[in-house]
Amino acid sequence: MTNSFQPIQEDKRTAIVDILRGWALLGVAIGNYVDFRYIGLERFIMKKGIFSEIISYFNLYFFSAKSWTLLSILFGYGFAVLINNVAEKGKNPFSFFCWRMFILFIFAFINSAFWLGDILKDYAFLGLLLLFFYRSSPKTILIMSGILLLSVPFLSAYINSIKQTLPDVQSTAKYLKLFYSDNWLDVFQFNLLGTYYQEMISLGYAITVHVVMFALMLLGFYAQKINFFNRLPEFKKLLKKTFLITLVLAIIAGILFEIAIKQKVTFPIFHPVFWIIINTMICIASGICLLYTIGKLKTIFSYFRVSGKMTLTNYLMQNIIACFLFSGIGFKIYNTLPYWFYFFLAIFVFTIQLFISKWWLSKFNYGPVEWLWRVLSYRKMFPLKKTAQNDIVTDIKPVL
Protein backbone atom coordinates (compact mmCIF):
# COMPACT_ATOMS: atom_id res chain seq x y z
CA MET A 1 0.00 0.00 0.00
CA THR A 2 2.85 2.38 0.82
CA ASN A 3 4.39 2.00 -2.64
CA SER A 4 1.14 3.11 -4.27
CA PHE A 5 0.99 6.30 -2.24
CA GLN A 6 1.92 8.70 -5.04
CA PRO A 7 1.11 12.26 -6.14
CA ILE A 8 -1.47 12.87 -8.86
CA GLN A 9 -0.23 11.39 -12.14
CA GLU A 10 0.26 13.69 -15.15
CA ASP A 11 -2.43 12.02 -17.24
CA LYS A 12 -4.94 12.73 -14.47
CA ARG A 13 -4.20 16.45 -14.31
CA THR A 14 -6.78 18.78 -15.78
CA ALA A 15 -5.17 21.09 -18.34
CA ILE A 16 -7.62 23.97 -17.98
CA VAL A 17 -6.93 24.17 -14.23
CA ASP A 18 -3.22 24.69 -14.88
CA ILE A 19 -4.04 27.23 -17.61
CA LEU A 20 -6.20 29.21 -15.18
CA ARG A 21 -3.42 29.04 -12.59
CA GLY A 22 -1.01 30.45 -15.16
CA TRP A 23 -3.37 33.31 -15.97
CA ALA A 24 -3.89 34.07 -12.28
CA LEU A 25 -0.14 34.06 -11.74
CA LEU A 26 0.19 36.86 -14.31
CA GLY A 27 -2.28 38.96 -12.34
CA VAL A 28 -0.47 38.24 -9.09
CA ALA A 29 2.83 39.39 -10.60
CA ILE A 30 1.27 42.62 -11.85
CA GLY A 31 -0.43 43.33 -8.53
CA ASN A 32 2.70 42.69 -6.48
CA TYR A 33 5.07 44.66 -8.72
CA VAL A 34 2.71 47.64 -8.93
CA ASP A 35 2.51 47.67 -5.12
CA PHE A 36 6.25 48.34 -4.98
CA ARG A 37 5.50 51.64 -6.75
CA TYR A 38 3.75 52.87 -3.61
CA ILE A 39 6.18 51.87 -0.88
CA GLY A 40 7.14 55.20 0.66
CA LEU A 41 4.46 57.17 -1.19
CA GLU A 42 0.88 58.22 -0.55
CA ARG A 43 -0.86 55.68 -2.76
CA PHE A 44 -4.30 57.17 -3.15
CA ILE A 45 -3.42 60.82 -3.71
CA MET A 46 -0.59 60.31 -6.18
CA LYS A 47 -1.03 61.83 -9.62
CA LYS A 48 -0.17 59.70 -12.64
CA GLY A 49 0.53 60.56 -16.23
CA ILE A 50 -2.19 59.89 -18.78
CA PHE A 51 -0.61 56.65 -20.00
CA SER A 52 -0.07 55.40 -16.46
CA GLU A 53 -3.64 56.37 -15.58
CA ILE A 54 -4.98 54.25 -18.45
CA ILE A 55 -2.78 51.32 -17.44
CA SER A 56 -3.89 51.76 -13.83
CA TYR A 57 -7.58 51.45 -14.76
CA PHE A 58 -6.83 48.47 -16.98
CA ASN A 59 -5.09 46.77 -14.08
CA LEU A 60 -7.87 47.69 -11.68
CA TYR A 61 -10.65 46.14 -13.75
CA PHE A 62 -8.86 43.16 -15.29
CA PHE A 63 -6.30 41.99 -12.73
CA SER A 64 -6.56 43.65 -9.33
CA ALA A 65 -7.84 41.08 -6.80
CA LYS A 66 -9.16 38.91 -9.65
CA SER A 67 -6.07 36.72 -9.46
CA TRP A 68 -6.03 35.72 -5.80
CA THR A 69 -9.79 35.13 -5.89
CA LEU A 70 -9.37 32.80 -8.89
CA LEU A 71 -6.42 31.07 -7.21
CA SER A 72 -8.60 30.51 -4.16
CA ILE A 73 -11.10 28.56 -6.28
CA LEU A 74 -8.29 26.57 -7.86
CA PHE A 75 -6.73 25.88 -4.45
CA GLY A 76 -10.02 24.41 -3.24
CA TYR A 77 -10.27 22.34 -6.40
CA GLY A 78 -6.71 21.04 -6.08
CA PHE A 79 -7.26 20.32 -2.40
CA ALA A 80 -10.26 18.14 -3.21
CA VAL A 81 -8.44 16.26 -5.97
CA LEU A 82 -5.44 15.53 -3.79
CA ILE A 83 -7.37 14.60 -0.66
CA ASN A 84 -9.41 12.10 -2.65
CA ASN A 85 -6.22 10.63 -4.04
CA VAL A 86 -4.75 10.31 -0.55
CA ALA A 87 -7.91 8.70 0.84
CA GLU A 88 -8.10 6.22 -2.04
CA LYS A 89 -4.60 5.03 -1.21
CA GLY A 90 -5.68 4.13 2.30
CA LYS A 91 -3.86 6.98 4.02
CA ASN A 92 -5.23 9.33 6.64
CA PRO A 93 -6.05 12.55 4.72
CA PHE A 94 -6.24 14.62 7.90
CA SER A 95 -2.73 13.89 9.12
CA PHE A 96 -1.37 14.14 5.56
CA PHE A 97 -2.86 17.58 4.95
CA CYS A 98 -1.96 18.95 8.36
CA TRP A 99 1.64 18.06 7.58
CA ARG A 100 1.38 19.40 4.01
CA MET A 101 -0.07 22.72 5.19
CA PHE A 102 2.67 22.99 7.83
CA ILE A 103 5.25 22.77 5.05
CA LEU A 104 3.33 25.45 3.14
CA PHE A 105 3.57 27.66 6.25
CA ILE A 106 7.35 27.31 6.04
CA PHE A 107 7.32 28.37 2.40
CA ALA A 108 5.05 31.27 3.40
CA PHE A 109 7.54 32.44 6.02
CA ILE A 110 10.37 32.39 3.48
CA ASN A 111 8.23 34.27 0.96
CA SER A 112 7.16 36.81 3.59
CA ALA A 113 10.81 37.70 4.14
CA PHE A 114 10.98 38.86 0.52
CA TRP A 115 7.46 40.27 0.09
CA LEU A 116 5.05 41.79 2.59
CA GLY A 117 1.96 40.61 0.68
CA ASP A 118 2.38 36.83 1.00
CA ILE A 119 -0.72 34.74 0.33
CA LEU A 120 0.67 31.27 1.05
CA LYS A 121 0.11 31.60 4.79
CA ASP A 122 -3.59 32.26 4.13
CA TYR A 123 -3.92 29.18 1.95
CA ALA A 124 -2.10 27.07 4.52
CA PHE A 125 -4.41 28.22 7.30
CA LEU A 126 -7.61 27.92 5.28
CA GLY A 127 -6.47 24.56 3.89
CA LEU A 128 -6.71 23.23 7.43
CA LEU A 129 -10.28 24.53 7.71
CA LEU A 130 -11.20 22.81 4.44
CA LEU A 131 -10.54 19.49 6.14
CA PHE A 132 -13.76 19.93 8.11
CA PHE A 133 -15.68 19.69 4.80
CA TYR A 134 -13.84 16.66 3.48
CA ARG A 135 -16.81 14.32 3.91
CA SER A 136 -19.51 16.90 3.17
CA SER A 137 -21.87 16.49 0.24
CA PRO A 138 -21.62 18.77 -2.81
CA LYS A 139 -24.91 20.41 -1.79
CA THR A 140 -23.64 21.21 1.71
CA ILE A 141 -20.40 22.65 0.36
CA LEU A 142 -22.22 24.81 -2.19
CA ILE A 143 -24.71 26.09 0.40
CA MET A 144 -21.92 27.02 2.82
CA SER A 145 -20.02 28.79 0.05
CA GLY A 146 -23.18 30.68 -0.94
CA ILE A 147 -23.93 31.76 2.63
CA LEU A 148 -20.41 33.11 3.09
CA LEU A 149 -20.47 34.95 -0.24
CA LEU A 150 -23.87 36.49 0.55
CA SER A 151 -22.56 37.72 3.89
CA VAL A 152 -19.43 39.35 2.46
CA PRO A 153 -20.87 42.83 1.57
CA PHE A 154 -22.43 43.17 5.03
CA LEU A 155 -19.31 41.85 6.76
CA SER A 156 -17.09 44.14 4.70
CA ALA A 157 -19.14 47.21 5.58
CA TYR A 158 -19.12 46.30 9.28
CA ILE A 159 -15.38 45.63 9.41
CA ASN A 160 -14.70 48.90 7.59
CA SER A 161 -16.66 50.74 10.27
CA ILE A 162 -14.31 49.49 12.99
CA LYS A 163 -11.48 51.91 13.63
CA GLN A 164 -8.22 50.06 14.02
CA THR A 165 -4.97 51.92 14.56
CA LEU A 166 -2.02 50.07 13.10
CA PRO A 167 1.40 51.25 11.92
CA ASP A 168 1.58 51.99 8.21
CA VAL A 169 4.73 50.05 7.47
CA GLN A 170 4.85 51.19 3.83
CA SER A 171 4.93 54.92 4.57
CA THR A 172 6.39 55.36 8.08
CA ALA A 173 9.99 56.54 8.18
CA LYS A 174 11.25 54.18 10.89
CA TYR A 175 10.04 51.17 8.88
CA LEU A 176 11.02 52.53 5.49
CA LYS A 177 14.65 52.82 6.54
CA LEU A 178 14.61 49.02 6.85
CA PHE A 179 13.38 48.70 3.26
CA TYR A 180 16.03 51.13 2.02
CA SER A 181 18.81 49.38 3.95
CA ASP A 182 21.42 47.27 2.17
CA ASN A 183 21.31 44.82 5.05
CA TRP A 184 19.40 41.62 4.23
CA LEU A 185 18.05 41.25 7.75
CA ASP A 186 16.66 44.79 7.74
CA VAL A 187 14.76 44.20 4.49
CA PHE A 188 13.48 40.85 5.75
CA GLN A 189 12.32 42.56 8.96
CA PHE A 190 10.48 45.22 6.93
CA ASN A 191 8.61 42.58 4.93
CA LEU A 192 7.76 40.45 7.96
CA LEU A 193 6.48 43.50 9.85
CA GLY A 194 4.41 44.50 6.84
CA THR A 195 2.92 41.02 6.64
CA TYR A 196 2.09 41.11 10.35
CA TYR A 197 0.52 44.57 10.53
CA GLN A 198 -1.17 44.73 7.12
CA GLU A 199 -2.51 41.19 6.93
CA MET A 200 -2.27 39.08 10.04
CA ILE A 201 -3.84 41.54 12.49
CA SER A 202 -5.57 43.97 10.13
CA LEU A 203 -9.28 43.18 10.48
CA GLY A 204 -10.09 44.01 6.88
CA TYR A 205 -7.66 41.35 5.70
CA ALA A 206 -7.68 38.89 8.57
CA ILE A 207 -11.48 38.60 8.57
CA THR A 208 -13.07 39.86 5.35
CA VAL A 209 -10.43 38.65 2.89
CA HIS A 210 -10.18 35.28 4.63
CA VAL A 211 -13.95 34.81 4.45
CA VAL A 212 -13.86 35.59 0.72
CA MET A 213 -10.95 33.20 0.19
CA PHE A 214 -12.60 30.40 2.12
CA ALA A 215 -15.95 30.82 0.36
CA LEU A 216 -14.20 30.57 -3.01
CA MET A 217 -12.13 27.58 -1.88
CA LEU A 218 -15.40 25.84 -1.04
CA LEU A 219 -16.66 26.76 -4.49
CA GLY A 220 -13.58 25.11 -5.97
CA PHE A 221 -14.17 22.10 -3.73
CA TYR A 222 -17.70 21.91 -5.13
CA ALA A 223 -16.38 22.17 -8.70
CA GLN A 224 -14.27 19.09 -8.07
CA LYS A 225 -17.18 17.25 -6.48
CA ILE A 226 -19.20 17.63 -9.70
CA ASN A 227 -16.10 17.13 -11.89
CA PHE A 228 -16.74 20.53 -13.47
CA PHE A 229 -13.43 21.15 -15.22
CA ASN A 230 -13.41 17.72 -16.83
CA ARG A 231 -16.94 18.23 -18.18
CA LEU A 232 -16.54 21.65 -19.80
CA PRO A 233 -18.07 20.61 -23.16
CA GLU A 234 -21.26 19.68 -21.30
CA PHE A 235 -21.31 23.14 -19.78
CA LYS A 236 -20.58 25.08 -23.00
CA LYS A 237 -23.99 26.80 -23.04
CA LEU A 238 -23.70 27.56 -19.34
CA LEU A 239 -20.23 29.03 -19.89
CA LYS A 240 -21.56 31.29 -22.66
CA LYS A 241 -24.45 32.51 -20.52
CA THR A 242 -22.20 33.00 -17.52
CA PHE A 243 -19.67 34.97 -19.55
CA LEU A 244 -22.28 37.27 -21.12
CA ILE A 245 -24.24 37.87 -17.92
CA THR A 246 -21.16 38.55 -15.79
CA LEU A 247 -19.70 40.77 -18.53
CA VAL A 248 -22.81 42.97 -18.55
CA LEU A 249 -22.88 43.05 -14.75
CA ALA A 250 -19.16 43.86 -14.60
CA ILE A 251 -19.59 46.84 -16.95
CA ILE A 252 -22.65 48.21 -15.15
CA ALA A 253 -21.26 47.62 -11.67
CA GLY A 254 -17.87 49.05 -12.60
CA ILE A 255 -19.40 52.26 -13.94
CA LEU A 256 -21.75 52.70 -10.99
CA PHE A 257 -19.03 51.95 -8.45
CA GLU A 258 -16.66 54.41 -10.13
CA ILE A 259 -19.36 57.08 -10.00
CA ALA A 260 -19.98 56.28 -6.33
CA ILE A 261 -16.30 56.70 -5.55
CA LYS A 262 -16.12 60.02 -7.43
CA GLN A 263 -19.16 61.22 -5.50
CA LYS A 264 -17.60 59.98 -2.24
CA VAL A 265 -20.54 57.72 -1.50
CA THR A 266 -20.12 55.68 1.67
CA PHE A 267 -21.29 52.11 2.18
CA PRO A 268 -22.09 51.86 5.90
CA ILE A 269 -24.22 48.69 5.73
CA PHE A 270 -23.57 47.01 2.39
CA HIS A 271 -20.19 47.26 0.61
CA PRO A 272 -20.31 45.57 -2.82
CA VAL A 273 -16.61 45.71 -3.79
CA PHE A 274 -15.91 41.98 -3.37
CA TRP A 275 -19.06 41.04 -5.26
CA ILE A 276 -17.83 43.22 -8.14
CA ILE A 277 -14.38 41.61 -7.99
CA ILE A 278 -15.74 38.06 -7.88
CA ASN A 279 -18.22 38.75 -10.70
CA THR A 280 -15.42 40.08 -12.94
CA MET A 281 -13.16 37.17 -12.03
CA ILE A 282 -15.88 34.68 -12.98
CA CYS A 283 -16.41 36.55 -16.25
CA ILE A 284 -12.72 36.27 -17.15
CA ALA A 285 -12.41 32.65 -15.99
CA SER A 286 -15.53 31.53 -17.87
CA GLY A 287 -14.22 33.28 -20.99
CA ILE A 288 -10.92 31.41 -20.74
CA CYS A 289 -12.74 28.11 -20.19
CA LEU A 290 -14.92 28.80 -23.21
CA LEU A 291 -11.96 29.59 -25.46
CA TYR A 292 -10.19 26.45 -24.27
CA THR A 293 -13.24 24.27 -24.85
CA ILE A 294 -13.69 25.41 -28.46
CA GLY A 295 -9.96 24.94 -29.17
CA LYS A 296 -8.80 28.56 -29.43
CA LEU A 297 -5.40 30.02 -28.43
CA LYS A 298 -3.75 26.59 -28.17
CA THR A 299 -0.17 27.87 -28.29
CA ILE A 300 -0.76 30.60 -25.71
CA PHE A 301 -2.60 28.18 -23.46
CA SER A 302 0.25 25.67 -23.73
CA TYR A 303 2.58 28.26 -22.19
CA PHE A 304 0.11 29.28 -19.52
CA ARG A 305 -0.33 25.62 -18.64
CA VAL A 306 3.37 24.97 -17.96
CA SER A 307 3.49 28.17 -15.91
CA GLY A 308 0.46 26.93 -13.95
CA LYS A 309 2.19 23.63 -13.25
CA MET A 310 4.97 25.60 -11.60
CA THR A 311 2.77 28.12 -9.81
CA LEU A 312 4.54 27.87 -6.45
CA THR A 313 8.04 28.10 -7.95
CA ASN A 314 7.12 31.00 -10.21
CA TYR A 315 5.28 32.87 -7.45
CA LEU A 316 8.23 32.65 -5.07
CA MET A 317 10.71 33.61 -7.78
CA GLN A 318 8.62 36.64 -8.81
CA ASN A 319 8.81 37.97 -5.27
CA ILE A 320 12.50 37.23 -4.80
CA ILE A 321 13.32 38.96 -8.10
CA ALA A 322 11.19 41.96 -7.10
CA CYS A 323 12.91 42.23 -3.74
CA PHE A 324 16.30 42.44 -5.43
CA LEU A 325 15.06 44.92 -8.02
CA PHE A 326 13.31 47.35 -5.71
CA SER A 327 14.74 47.14 -2.18
CA GLY A 328 18.00 48.30 -0.67
CA ILE A 329 19.68 44.91 -1.02
CA GLY A 330 19.47 45.01 -4.81
CA PHE A 331 19.18 47.59 -7.57
CA LYS A 332 17.38 50.12 -5.35
CA ILE A 333 14.75 51.12 -7.91
CA TYR A 334 12.32 51.81 -5.04
CA ASN A 335 9.39 54.00 -6.20
CA THR A 336 11.39 56.14 -8.59
CA LEU A 337 9.78 55.18 -11.91
CA PRO A 338 6.32 55.68 -13.47
CA TYR A 339 3.43 53.35 -12.75
CA TRP A 340 3.53 51.84 -16.22
CA PHE A 341 7.12 50.65 -15.68
CA TYR A 342 6.12 48.37 -12.79
CA PHE A 343 3.13 47.06 -14.74
CA PHE A 344 5.11 46.10 -17.83
CA LEU A 345 8.07 44.87 -15.81
CA ALA A 346 5.74 42.32 -14.19
CA ILE A 347 4.53 41.19 -17.62
CA PHE A 348 8.15 40.92 -18.79
CA VAL A 349 9.19 38.82 -15.78
CA PHE A 350 6.12 36.61 -16.21
CA THR A 351 6.83 36.16 -19.94
CA ILE A 352 10.41 35.09 -19.21
CA GLN A 353 9.03 32.63 -16.67
CA LEU A 354 6.74 31.15 -19.35
CA PHE A 355 9.72 30.19 -21.49
CA ILE A 356 11.77 29.01 -18.53
CA SER A 357 8.84 26.88 -17.32
CA LYS A 358 8.45 25.37 -20.80
CA TRP A 359 12.14 24.53 -20.92
CA TRP A 360 12.25 23.24 -17.34
CA LEU A 361 9.29 20.89 -17.73
CA SER A 362 10.76 19.51 -20.94
CA LYS A 363 13.58 18.13 -18.80
CA PHE A 364 12.07 17.72 -15.34
CA ASN A 365 8.88 16.24 -13.94
CA TYR A 366 8.06 19.08 -11.53
CA GLY A 367 9.01 22.63 -10.76
CA PRO A 368 11.80 22.68 -8.15
CA VAL A 369 9.64 23.98 -5.29
CA GLU A 370 6.73 21.72 -6.31
CA TRP A 371 9.12 18.76 -6.26
CA LEU A 372 10.43 19.71 -2.81
CA TRP A 373 6.86 20.13 -1.51
CA ARG A 374 5.97 16.66 -2.81
CA VAL A 375 9.06 15.05 -1.32
CA LEU A 376 8.44 16.62 2.07
CA SER A 377 4.68 15.96 1.96
CA TYR A 378 4.94 12.27 1.05
CA ARG A 379 8.23 11.81 2.94
CA LYS A 380 9.77 9.92 0.07
CA MET A 381 11.88 10.71 -2.97
CA PHE A 382 10.40 11.20 -6.41
CA PRO A 383 12.40 11.48 -9.63
CA LEU A 384 12.94 15.11 -10.54
CA LYS A 385 14.67 14.61 -13.87
CA LYS A 386 12.69 13.08 -16.71
CA THR A 387 13.52 9.72 -18.13
CA ALA A 388 12.14 7.84 -21.12
CA GLN A 389 9.81 5.97 -18.78
CA ASN A 390 8.31 8.93 -16.94
CA ASP A 391 8.32 11.54 -19.71
CA ILE A 392 5.50 14.06 -19.33
CA VAL A 393 3.42 15.27 -22.25
CA THR A 394 2.90 19.04 -22.28
CA ASP A 395 0.82 19.50 -25.43
CA ILE A 396 -2.54 21.17 -25.00
CA LYS A 397 -5.62 19.54 -26.44
CA PRO A 398 -9.21 20.66 -25.79
CA VAL A 399 -11.30 18.24 -23.79
CA LEU A 400 -13.65 16.24 -25.99
Side-chain angles (χ1 to χ4, degrees), residues 120-386:
L120 299 179
K121 67 186 181 310
D122 308 307
Y123 288 173
F125 167 67
L126 296 175
L128 295 175
L129 296 184
L130 280 177
L131 286 170
F132 291 102
F133 292 86
Y134 161 51
R135 299 185 184 278
S136 299
S137 67
K139 182 179 179 180
T140 299
I141 293 172
L142 183 60
I143 290 174
M144 181 55 66
S145 175
I147 291 173
L148 291 176
L149 289 175
L150 287 173
S151 72
V152 165
F154 303 98
L155 177 64
S156 181
Y158 173 72
I159 294 298
N160 289 343
S161 70
I162 300 175
K163 293 183 178 180
Q164 187 180 22
T165 304
L166 295 173
D168 187 352
V169 174
Q170 294 194 55
S171 63
T172 304
K174 72 173 184 177
Y175 297 113
L176 286 173
K177 70 179 182 180
L178 298 173
F179 179 69
Y180 297 141
S181 170
D182 59 3
N183 185 305
W184 287 55
L185 293 179
D186 287 342
V187 175
F188 289 168
Q189 184 182 1
F190 170 82
N191 290 320
L192 291 171
L193 286 170
T195 299
Y196 176 72
Y197 286 119
Q198 296 178 189
E199 296 185 349
M200 296 180 70
I201 64 172
S202 171
L203 295 179
Y205 192 99
I207 297 178
T208 310
V209 170
H210 279 155
V211 169
V212 172
M213 283 184 182
F214 191 66
L216 294 174
M217 286 180 184
L218 288 173
L219 192 61
F221 205 153
Y222 172 77
Q224 192 281 328
K225 288 279 189 179
I226 65 171
N227 203 23
F228 176 79
F229 290 111
N230 288 317
R231 298 168 55 199
L232 289 184
E234 299 178 37
F235 296 118
K236 186 180 292 186
K237 290 184 179 179
L238 176 63
L239 287 172
K240 288 181 180 179
K241 289 181 180 179
T242 300
F243 173 74
L244 292 174
I245 291 172
T246 53
L247 177 61
V248 172
L249 290 175
I251 294 172
I252 294 173
I255 293 172
L256 292 177
F257 194 65
E258 187 67 25
I259 293 173
I261 292 175
K262 298 288 186 183
Q263 297 297 320
K264 298 182 179 180
V265 175
T266 59
F267 301 92
I269 299 176
F270 183 93
H271 202 302
V273 63
F274 280 110
W275 274 14
I276 297 173
I277 290 169
I278 293 169
N279 175 80
T280 307
M281 177 270 292
I282 292 175
C283 175
I284 294 170
S286 61
I288 293 173
C289 288
L290 191 59
L291 289 171
Y292 169 75
T293 303
I294 61 180
K296 300 296 184 180
L297 304 179
K298 291 182 181 180
T299 301
I300 294 175
F301 283 163
S302 70
Y303 280 95
F304 274 94
R305 185 187 182 190
V306 292
S307 175
K309 288 182 179 180
M310 293 176 54
T311 301
L312 188 54
T313 296
N314 286 328
Y315 172 65
L316 292 172
M317 286 308 302
Q318 286 173 2
N319 295 331
I320 292 172
I321 291 170
C323 186
F324 281 102
L325 287 174
F326 303 121
S327 75
I329 61 175
F331 289 90
K332 301 178 174 61
I333 293 177
Y334 304 134
N335 52 26
T336 58
L337 296 170
Y339 179 98
W340 61 261
F341 171 83
Y342 300 82
F343 180 89
F344 287 110
L345 178 63
I347 295 176
F348 174 77
V349 170
F350 175 79
T351 302
I352 296 299
Q353 287 186 319
L354 290 180
F355 291 101
I356 293 175
S357 297
K358 190 85 168 179
W359 170 82
W360 180 274
L361 289 178
S362 71
K363 297 181 180 297
F364 301 95
N365 290 321
Y366 313 102
V369 182
E370 285 77 9
W371 174 80
L372 179 60
W373 196 16
R374 280 167 169 78
V375 168
L376 295 175
S377 296
Y378 291 89
R379 306 183 195 188
K380 61 185 295 186
M381 293 298 298
F382 297 100
L384 177 59
K385 190 173 178 60
K386 281 188 175 181

Side-chain angles (χ1 to χ4, degrees), residues 23-35:
W23 170 261
L25 191 61
L26 170 60
V28 168
I30 292 172
N32 290 353
Y33 277 52
V34 163
D35 279 347

